[in-house]
């Protein structure tokens, strides 16, 4: 086992301990960025002036009426920007725009002594606009050729020849929705300026270093004049990887111009209407299978709805293309990606970062094709799993593919699947209006940033004279338990009890040039850096202990806060050892660094080995669907997931449960809608929790078993662990596939059922109708389409048409009475 993965005696990693802030979270004592404003004198509150047009040119902006509102101190406009008027890294995101690019785009910000005065001031600003033509839906963008950014391709083999030779060929279209992050804490930044003009920004950001860079370039200053601190976030989920920068820059600009602290804290509606979401996609695909149901070839074009600017759309799309294979060997494959430009908020990172979107393509294909191939869907999946020696479409060997088989079997066994399938069949036999189904789906998710340079991290660890330990690292805490894990790593490496170690908030003046806490790699990267810093200190201390104990330093171990020669009963206590080291003038602090080894990625050809390893998991979900309404419930979920040798099992189980439920929310409940016509065209119509249905306790699986795979230590990561933050989200495909199968159970055996995504009760109802229609006399034995059979869809194709033995499938949302509105993200 590698030195990185090897655990010492009595490690603190692996202990099932609660989140370090759990008590603070549940008692309300935990401080978030906005709470700091309440403890700060003379704060100014910022309010955006949002323009209600999808696309328009600003012809005049009159701020004087706002200045007449009592309490208003200043209005920030583009003319105030001393540096670069841009809130992103692609230079396509004017911070104070003169062209409105989405409904609700902020063109200026009002600062006032109270939030209410700022709101009234913003309402008083007069904006004249000249409306411009807009592209709102993905379908409109594709029709208009409205694209932006790179058009990557991942390819291997000869797809056309393999499709021509395949025993079965199907083709279809899949459209699926995006997702709102709905972190509990909305975007927030609080900026101060000190006596020498240095800027200090407290920001709810997953990427403090990038927030720092953007604040610096907006202000025309250097990075060393700007410090960004993140205490913690009330959820990020990827929505605070890129989106916080502009808000931090507005706060910082306001603070430099007024000399007063400035708070930007979005209301929920502002957050929903101004910040980007998960990308919805449109996918066109053709797939070939051999006579055994093995995947022979796949060709697909994935179009991501990027929104108005690029933001993280290119890396999200790259990850999507790298995850279309999911757990399956695709001998011949060609995947094309492109990014639509639409007049909507700029879509961004969201847990899984394109991975869920890519995997949904293949899971949807397998779910729809299984009945047409006459193969049980679970069997079809298992049959196509990667085997040892095979590699991904982008050329990375798949290490440990046998884990997929192991996980699958464990879910079958512990989930009692065979017996339950029999009970489900008996239940369905006896209940004409209610049907149940159980589906299994796998996950294989690549861990590391695709972009190799991001796979580095730093830490700064101090041991004080009294023996207490303070850890700084570059990662941010958003609820995922990173800080808990870092405390455990530090205690393990130093050999001290957990209580001796404390964590300081993430700050750019402690650890510079950090990567976003993202791609699930926070613990891998920062854990490596914390371990490295602690190991330096530990080695210096064991040398000191050697002199005190009269032993060779190599024979000294520090375990549970006592340094001993191996095998000896007596030793020297940690506090005493630290004091001795101080008097010997031994350095008691260290900077740690970690870079992930062995990565390689050539983005120009989309080939390489971008991932350190793969995280695996399998889920089985059982649902029950009501045939009258399409309403459903999730009766039971069994998950076995591979987190390597867990750093913190309670945290990991929580991540798996939370990720799964968030994934199920995306796939079944959460339904983003925009007005696509009329005077409010482009307006997000789901502007609150009243219209945007999030999973709640009642949507939890009634029985929910989460098990960590054992004997799974990962040699390439800190203390043998694996990343856990994102992969479990994709286990929720099991719920969607179970819903598809339950809907199919309303019709004759062997029919393929299409299901819109999200599979809301309404969508499930149409899937049930599709199945029932297939059994009615006079209708084709197999129809395809999420809507009433035979409906003509927006693009003129007819649901259920079969072209030359090729099944044309549609998975677009039926909008009865509004056939021009095709589902988009
Ligand atoms: N868990 C909680 N509670 N809150 C969050 O915001 N974000 C997710 C995941 N789990 C998130 C979460 C996302 S998108 C990522 S990339 C990882 O946590 C990031 O943290 P990690 O790298 O430390 O796992
Ligand atoms: Mo997570 S989407 O990588 O922040």
């Amino acid at each position: 086992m590698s030195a990185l993965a090897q655990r010492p005696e009595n490690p603190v990693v692996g202990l099932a301990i609660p989140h370090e802030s759990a008590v603070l979270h549940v008692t309300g004592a935990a401080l978030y960025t906005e709470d700091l404003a309440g403890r700060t004198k003379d704060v100014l509150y910022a309010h955006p002036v949002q323009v209600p047009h999808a696309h328009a040119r600003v012809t005049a902006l009159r701020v004087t009426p706002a200045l007449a509102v009592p309490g208003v101190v200043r209005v920030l406009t583009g003319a105030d920007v001393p540096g670069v008027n841009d809130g992103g890294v692609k230079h396509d995101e004017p911070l104070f725009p003169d062209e409105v690019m989405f409904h609700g785009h902020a063109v200026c910000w009002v600062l006032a002594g109270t939030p209410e005065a700022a709101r009234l001031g913003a309402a008083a600003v007069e904006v004249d606009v000249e409306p411009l033509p807009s592209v709102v839906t993905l379908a409109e963008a594709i029709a208009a050729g409205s694209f932006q950014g790179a058009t990557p391709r991942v390819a291997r083999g000869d797809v056309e020849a393999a499709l021509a030779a395949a025993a079965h060929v199907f083709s279809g279209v899949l459209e699926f929705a995006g997702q709102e992050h709905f972190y509990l804490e909305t975007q927030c930044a609080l900026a101060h300026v000190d006596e020498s003009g240095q800027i200090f920004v407290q920001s709810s950001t997953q990427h403090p270093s990038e927030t720092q860079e953007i604040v610096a370039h907006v202000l025309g200053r250097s990075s060393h004049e700007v410090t960004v601190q993140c205490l913690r976030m009330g959820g990020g989920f990827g929505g605070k990887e890129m989106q916080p920068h502009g808000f931090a820059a507005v706060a910082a600009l306001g603070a430099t111009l007024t000399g007063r602290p400035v708070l930007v804290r979005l209301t929920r509606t502002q957050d929903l209407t101004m910040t980007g979401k998960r990308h919805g996609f449109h996918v066109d695909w053709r797939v070939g299978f051999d006579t055994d149901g093995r995947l022979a070839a796949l060709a697909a074009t994935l179009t991501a709805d990027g929104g108005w600017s690029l933001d993280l759309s290119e890396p999200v799309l790259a990850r999507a293309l790298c995850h279309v294979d999911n757990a399956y060997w695709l001998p011949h494959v060609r995947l094309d990606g492109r990014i639509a430009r639409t007049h909507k908020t700029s879509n961004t990172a969201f847990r899984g970062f394109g991975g869920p979107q890519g995997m949904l393509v293949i899971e949807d294909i397998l779910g729809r094709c299984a009945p047409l191939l006459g193969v049980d869907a679970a069997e079809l999946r298992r049959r196509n799993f990667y085997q040892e020696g095979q590699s991904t479409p982008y050329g990375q060997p798949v290490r440990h593919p046998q884990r997929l088989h192991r996980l699958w079997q464990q879910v079958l066994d512990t989930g009692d699947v065979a017996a339950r399938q029999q009970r489900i069949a008996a239940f369905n036999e006896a209940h004409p209006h209610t049907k149940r189904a159980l589906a299994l789906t796998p996950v294989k998710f690549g861990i590391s940033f695709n972009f190799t340079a991001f796979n580095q991290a730093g830490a700064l660890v101090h041991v004080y004279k009294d023996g207490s330990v303070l850890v700084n690292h570059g990662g941010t805490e958003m609820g995922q338990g990173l800080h808990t894990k870092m405390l455990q790593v530090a205690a393990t490496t130093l050999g001290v009890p957990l209580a001796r170690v404390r964590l300081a908030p993430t700050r750019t003046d402690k650890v510079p040039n950090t990567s976003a806490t993202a791609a699930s790699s926070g613990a891998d990267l920062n854990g490596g850096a914390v371990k490295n810093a602690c190991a330096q200190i530990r080695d210096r201390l064991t040398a000191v202990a050697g002199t005190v104990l009269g032993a060779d330093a190599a024979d000294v171990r520090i375990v549970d806060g006592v340094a001993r020669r191996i095998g000896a009963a007596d030793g020297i206590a940690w506090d005493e050892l630290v004091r001795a080291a101080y008097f010997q003038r031994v350095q008691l602090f260290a900077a740690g660094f970690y870079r992930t080894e062995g990565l390689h990625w050539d983005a120009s050809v989309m080939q390489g080995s971008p991932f350190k390893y793969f995280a695996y998991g399998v889920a089985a979900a059982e649902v029950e669907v009501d045939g009258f309404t399409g309403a459903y419930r999730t009766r039971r979920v069994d998950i076995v997931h591979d987190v390597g040798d867990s750093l913190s099992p309670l945290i990991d189980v929580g991540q798996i449960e939370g990720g799964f439920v968030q994934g199920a929310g995306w796939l079944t409940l959460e339904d983003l809608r925009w007005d696509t016509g009329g005077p409010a065209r482009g307006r997000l119509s789901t502007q609150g929790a009243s219209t945007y249905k999030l999973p709640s306790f009642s949507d939890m699986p009634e029985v929910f078993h989460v098990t960590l795979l054992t004997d799974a230590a990962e040699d390439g990561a800190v203390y043998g662990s694996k990343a856990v933050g994102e992969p479990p989200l994709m286990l929720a495909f099991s719920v969607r596939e179970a819903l598809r199968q339950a809907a199919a159970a309303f019709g004759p055996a062997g029919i393929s059922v299409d299901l819109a995504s999200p599979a809301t009760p309404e969508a499930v109802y149409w899937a049930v109708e599709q199945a029932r229609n297939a059994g009615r006399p006079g209708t084709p034995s197999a129809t395809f389409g999420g809507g009433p059979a035979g409906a003509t869809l927006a693009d003129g194709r007819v649901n259920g048409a079969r072209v030359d033995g090729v099944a044309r499938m549609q998975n677009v949302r039926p909008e009865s009475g509004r056939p021009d509105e095709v589902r988009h993200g």
Side-chain angles (χ1 to χ4, degrees):
M1 175 155 291
S2 69
L4 180 66
Q6 184 75 46
R7 294 189 175 193
E9 194 183 332
N10 271 6
V12 179
V13 294
L15 296 181
I17 58 170
H19 190 284
E20 41 84 30
S21 289
V23 172
L24 303 180
H25 290 156
V26 299
T27 56
L31 291 179
Y32 295 86
T33 300
E34 186 190 11
D35 297 319
L36 304 171
R39 305 173 160 218
T40 308
K41 220 164 88 59
D42 295 335
V43 173
L44 291 176
Y45 298 83
H47 198 103
V49 176
Q50 294 182 261
V51 177
H53 286 275
H55 189 200
R57 189 171 297 113
V58 177
T59 51
L61 183 64
R62 287 178 297 277
V63 303
T64 340
L67 298 171
V69 173
V72 171
V73 169
R74 179 147 190 161
V75 182
L76 302 177
T77 69
D80 293 316
V81 177
V84 183
N85 179 18
D86 198 281
V89 290
K90 291 278 175 183
H91 293 281
D92 63 349
E93 285 182 54
L95 188 58
F96 299 93
D98 42 31
E99 186 176 333
V100 174
M101 293 296 282
F102 62 92
H103 196 283
H105 204 163
V107 292
C108 64
W109 291 74
V110 176
L111 306 181
T114 64
E116 181 61 3
R119 186 183 72 80
L120 293 172
V125 170
E126 294 167 7
V127 189
D128 295 344
V129 298
E130 177 197 327
L132 297 170
S134 61
V135 171
V136 173
T137 68
L138 204 36
E140 287 169 2
I142 292 171
S146 172
F147 299 107
Q148 57 185 332
T151 51
R153 166 178 285 187
V154 173
R156 162 170 68 199
D158 188 341
V159 174
E160 294 309 327
L163 282 173
H168 308 277
V169 176
F170 307 100
S171 70
V173 172
L174 168 66
E175 288 193 9
F176 54 85
Q179 185 178 20
E180 166 55 42
H181 300 86
F182 232 105
Y183 25 63
L184 287 179
E185 179 206 24
T186 54
Q187 302 280 348
C188 188
L190 173 64
H192 298 254
V193 182
D194 77 3
E195 87 289 342
S196 60
Q198 297 210 62
I199 324 290
F200 181 59
V201 187
Q202 308 251 16
S203 169
S204 183
T205 176
Q206 287 175 243
H207 200 346
S209 286
E210 199 167 78
T211 304
Q212 173 195 27
E213 273 169 47
I214 302 246
V215 168
H217 85 218
V218 169
L219 298 182
R221 308 278 282 271
S222 298
S223 288
H224 71 180
E225 297 172 283
V226 178
T227 299
V228 173
Q229 168 167 305
C230 177
L231 270 189
R232 61 161 60 80
M233 283 162 276
F237 306 114
K240 293 174 181 169
E241 200 176 322
M242 187 70 98
Q243 306 275 307
H245 309 331
F247 305 117
V250 167
L253 178 65
T256 55
L257 293 175
T258 63
R260 290 171 64 174
V262 172
L263 177 75
V264 171
R265 203 281 285 173
L266 300 189
T267 64
R268 180 61 65 184
T269 303
Q270 287 164 359
D271 199 299
L272 291 171
T273 55
M274 292 168 71
T275 69
K277 308 171 194 324
R278 183 189 293 285
H279 294 72
F281 275 59
H282 172 283
V283 185
D284 228 309
W285 53 266
R286 283 182 299 148
V287 69
F289 291 90
D290 70 13
T291 45
D292 292 335
R294 288 202 165 75
L295 285 156
L298 174 67
T301 299
L302 283 71
T303 309
D305 187 347
W308 73 281
S309 69
L310 270 179
D311 188 275
L312 288 164
S313 296
E314 288 172 313
V316 165
L317 178 64
R319 186 168 277 268
L321 295 180
C322 290
H323 283 79
V324 169
D325 62 329
N326 192 14
Y328 313 108
W329 162 241
L330 298 168
H332 299 275
V333 55
R334 187 180 64 237
L335 306 167
D336 286 298
R338 53 188 185 173
I339 300 159
R341 188 198 297 280
T342 54
H343 294 103
K344 297 207 292 286
T345 54
S346 184
N347 289 329
T348 192
F350 195 138
R351 206 170 192 170
F353 203 87
Q357 290 96 322
M359 289 185 196
L360 181 50
V361 176
I362 193 75
E363 293 302 336
D364 186 68
I365 288 173
L366 294 176
R368 288 156 86 177
C369 293
L372 303 175
L373 293 166
V375 183
D376 171 67
E379 169 55 21
L380 183 65
R381 290 188 160 86
R382 195 202 53 78
R383 199 175 286 178
N384 280 288
F385 280 175
Y386 277 111
Q387 305 285 349
E388 199 68 55
Q390 294 174 333
S391 61
T392 63
Y394 46 92
Q396 173 155 2
V398 178
R399 198 161 57 92
H400 294 157
Q402 67 279 12
R403 282 201 188 172
L404 281 166
H405 302 263
R406 224 173 108 200
L407 289 159
W408 192 262
Q409 195 56 46
Q410 195 172 330
V411 169
L412 288 177
D413 295 343
T414 60
D416 195 20
V417 169
R420 282 166 61 210
Q421 291 285 29
Q422 283 179 4
R423 288 204 292 276
I424 288 167
F427 177 92
N428 288 348
E429 197 63 44
H431 294 82
H433 303 302
T434 315
K435 301 291 179 191
R436 291 179 180 169
L438 184 157
L440 272 81
T441 57
V443 163
K444 166 186 131 289
F445 190 81
I447 300 298
S448 295
F449 289 96
N450 266 72
F451 185 63
T452 305
F454 289 163
N455 297 292
Q456 58 172 310
L460 180 63
V461 175
H462 300 332
V463 176
Y464 291 97
K465 276 185 286 180
D466 66 354
S468 61
V469 182
L470 186 67
V471 175
N472 288 275
H473 64 85
T476 56
E477 175 62 42
M478 58 196 102
Q480 87 278 37
L482 178 61
H483 284 356
T484 311
K485 290 181 172 178
M486 295 305 97
L487 289 169
Q488 289 178 276
V489 166
T492 300
T493 312
L494 292 169
V496 298
L498 196 60
R500 296 305 277 155
V501 189
R502 223 178 67 79
L503 244 151
T506 317
R507 291 175 62 120
T508 57
D509 58 353
K510 290 295 191 322
V511 180
N513 310 327
T514 53
S515 298
T517 306
S520 304
S521 61
D524 284 13
L525 296 177
N526 296 288
V530 168
K531 180 172 186 285
N532 174 251
C534 292
Q536 295 172 43
I537 299 170
R538 182 204 58 209
D539 290 350
R540 292 177 207 142
L541 287 172
T542 49
V544 172
T547 60
V548 175
L549 298 169
D552 192 304
D555 297 330
V556 174
R557 297 281 180 279
I558 310 173
V559 180
D560 297 334
V562 182
R564 288 188 186 83
R565 182 212 299 256
I566 296 169
D570 297 331
I572 169 170
W574 170 263
D575 293 0
E576 208 183 309
L577 176 60
V578 167
R579 216 166 18 248
Y582 172 76
F583 283 108
Q584 289 185 22
R585 294 184 290 172
V586 169
Q587 186 185 346
L588 286 171
F589 59 98
F593 185 72
Y594 175 77
R595 62 190 289 279
T596 316
E597 308 262 291
L599 304 182
H600 160 68
W601 181 241
D602 183 348
S604 66
V605 291
M606 299 290 284
Q607 288 288 316
S609 284
F611 305 123
K612 183 69 186 176
Y613 57 85
F614 296 102
Y616 297 107
V618 168
E622 181 183 335
V623 300
E624 181 177 301
V625 170
D626 175 87
F628 296 113
T629 61
Y632 50 81
R633 49 198 189 98
T634 307
R635 288 169 43 80
R636 174 170 168 177
V637 170
D638 292 80
I639 291 172
V640 184
H641 195 77
D642 170 19
V643 297
D645 199 351
S646 175
L647 291 177
S648 201
L650 262 188
I651 298 288
D652 284 349
V653 168
Q655 284 292 294
I656 295 167
E657 291 173 346
F660 177 87
V661 171
Q662 195 164 37
W666 170 49
L667 293 167
T668 67
L669 296 172
E670 301 180 35
D671 198 2
L672 287 165
R673 298 282 182 124
W674 283 265
D675 285 331
T676 53
R681 178 171 153 83
R683 173 183 167 274
L684 179 70
S685 51
T686 44
Q687 291 199 3
S690 53
T691 45
Y692 186 74
K693 174 81 178 86
L694 292 159
S696 56
F697 283 115
S698 56
D699 300 300
M700 288 280 286
E702 290 159 27
V703 179
F704 198 3
H705 295 146
V706 174
T707 311
L708 304 180
L709 185 71
T710 52
D711 301 319
E714 165 55 46
D715 210 37
V718 63
Y719 291 130
S721 63
K722 277 190 181 183
V724 69
E726 296 165 292
L729 182 132
M730 289 148 268
L731 294 170
F733 293 133
S734 57
V735 178
R736 181 168 188 267
E737 292 307 312
L739 288 171
R740 183 201 306 282
Q741 291 170 26
F746 285 92
I751 55 149
S752 173
V753 166
D754 300 342
L755 190 57
S757 190
T760 57
E762 183 190 344
V764 172
Y765 175 80
W766 287 118
V768 169
E769 271 294 281
Q770 184 194 3
R772 281 191 291 235
N773 281 336
R776 281 175 192 141
T779 47
S781 63
T783 60
F784 307 96
T792 304
L793 287 141
D795 60 1
R797 280 180 294 194
V798 174
N799 270 359
R802 271 175 184 268
V803 186
D804 300 334
V806 174
R808 291 298 308 179
M809 301 181 176
Q810 292 284 344
N811 245 14
V812 293
R813 182 187 193 81
E815 299 284 26
S816 30
R818 287 188 295 163
D820 61 322
E821 191 180 322
V822 175
R823 182 67 205 162
H824 59 77

